[in-house]
């Protein structure tokens, strides 16, 4: 069998990153075909999470793997935060759609999320630490929100200019 075909990742400030994703009506062949491609794209880019929004497919589907060995894929379809800790912490985040940029974002330290898995089975997952942060970050993508939107307008504009410039240079090369 051939390895799954990689998907192009949208780069900030691409306006398509601000699309609000639709609920997955059924875990059908289309979704089942998309999951391995999203996982392969995430692993190829050395990411710990990828939302369908980032590959310009606007359905509520995210893939995550925060394991050291990169062998514990987690698929969340139609994720809903059931509970989020009041305790928050500011931690450094990055994003495959915002290459080379890392900055602090305040997030709940623990969450409980309900979602369908790759087989369409509903599960409730309790997460803390990096996994909790990653779930919140990826769920923001499904709402059309990129982490740089938590930063000050000044910082955000600097990042925007930097990425636009880098993209122009890449196109010229
Ligand atoms: Ni991201």
């Amino acid at each position: 069998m051939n390895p799954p075909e990689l998907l192009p990742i949208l780069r900030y400030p691409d306006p398509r990153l601000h699309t609000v994703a639709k609920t997955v009506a059924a875990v059908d062949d289309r979704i089942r075909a998309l999951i391995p491609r999203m996982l392969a794209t995430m692993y190829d880019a050395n990411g710990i999470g990828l939302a369908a929004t980032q590959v310009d497919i606007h359905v509520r589907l995210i893939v995550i793997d925060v394991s050291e060995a990169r062998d514990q894929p987690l698929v969340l379809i139609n994720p809903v935060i059931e509970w989020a800790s009041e305790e928050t912490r500011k931690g450094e985040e990055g994003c495959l759609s915002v290459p080379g940029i890392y900055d602090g974002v305040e997030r709940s330290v623990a969450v409980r999320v309900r979602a369908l898995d790759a087989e369409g089975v509903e599960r409730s997952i309790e997460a803390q630490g990096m996994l909790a942060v990653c779930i919140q970050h990826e769920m923001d993508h499904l709402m059309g929100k990129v982490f740089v939107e938590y930063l000050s307008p000044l910082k955000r504009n600097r990042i925007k200019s930097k990425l636009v410039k880098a993209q122009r240079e890449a196109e010229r090369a």
Side-chain angles (χ1 to χ4, degrees), residues 27-69:
V27 182
D28 54 14
D29 288 348
R30 177 174 165 252
I31 296 295
R32 272 190 291 269
L34 179 58
I35 291 167
R37 293 185 70 189
M38 281 183 54
L39 282 167
T41 302
M42 175 186 75
Y43 288 127
D44 179 71
N46 289 315
I48 59 168
L50 185 70
T53 309
Q54 293 175 274
V55 291
D56 201 23
I57 297 171
H58 302 284
V59 296
R60 294 186 59 80
L61 164 59
I62 64 186
V63 297
I64 290 175
D65 190 340
V66 296
S67 71
E68 200 75 46

Side-chain angles (χ1 to χ4, degrees), residues 49-51 54 93-98 137-138 141 145-147:
L50 185 70
Q54 293 175 274
E93 291 186 23
C95 178
L96 294 178
S97 292
V98 195
H137 174 117
E138 300 310 330
H141 276 302
K145 186 161 187 173
V146 180
F147 86 98

Side-chain angles (χ1 to χ4, degrees), residues 3-171:
E5 207 185 321
L6 302 182
L7 296 153
I9 299 173
L10 299 179
R11 297 280 171 89
Y12 185 80
D14 191 310
R16 291 172 289 181
L17 284 169
H18 304 303
T19 312
V20 177
K22 291 196 169 75
T23 299
V24 172
V27 182
D28 54 14
D29 288 348
R30 177 174 165 252
I31 296 295
R32 272 190 291 269
L34 179 58
I35 291 167
R37 293 185 70 189
M38 281 183 54
L39 282 167
T41 302
M42 175 186 75
Y43 288 127
D44 179 71
N46 289 315
I48 59 168
L50 185 70
T53 309
Q54 293 175 274
V55 291
D56 201 23
I57 297 171
H58 302 284
V59 296
R60 294 186 59 80
L61 164 59
I62 64 186
V63 297
I64 290 175
D65 190 340
V66 296
S67 71
E68 200 75 46
R70 320 287 286 141
D71 60 356
Q72 284 172 61
L74 183 63
V75 176
L76 302 178
I77 300 169
N78 299 339
V80 176
I81 298 272
E82 290 185 308
W83 170 85
S85 66
E86 269 174 46
E87 188 193 346
T88 59
R89 194 175 300 150
K90 195 173 191 171
E92 186 115 309
E93 291 186 23
C95 178
L96 294 178
S97 292
V98 195
I101 306 290
Y102 301 89
D103 216 318
V105 179
E106 190 94 27
R107 303 275 191 191
S108 289
V109 299
V111 293
R112 188 172 66 243
V113 62
R114 183 164 39 83
L116 302 178
D117 67 12
E119 274 77 49
V121 178
E122 189 171 69
R123 296 182 187 282
S124 193
I125 295 157
E126 302 221 4
Q128 51 189 322
M130 204 200 288
L131 180 58
V133 170
C134 191
I135 288 171
Q136 292 169 80
H137 174 117
E138 300 310 330
M139 284 183 69
D140 274 352
H141 276 302
L142 300 180
M143 295 305 295
K145 186 161 187 173
V146 180
F147 86 98
V148 296
E149 287 165 76
Y150 289 103
L151 309 177
S152 71
L154 180 69
K155 260 191 185 175
R156 192 162 58 243
N157 284 330
R158 272 195 201 133
I159 291 167
K160 217 179 266 185
S161 314
K162 196 174 165 186
L163 292 180
V164 167
K165 194 171 161 231
Q167 236 150 314
R168 263 195 226 122
E169 272 161 18
E171 277 159 23

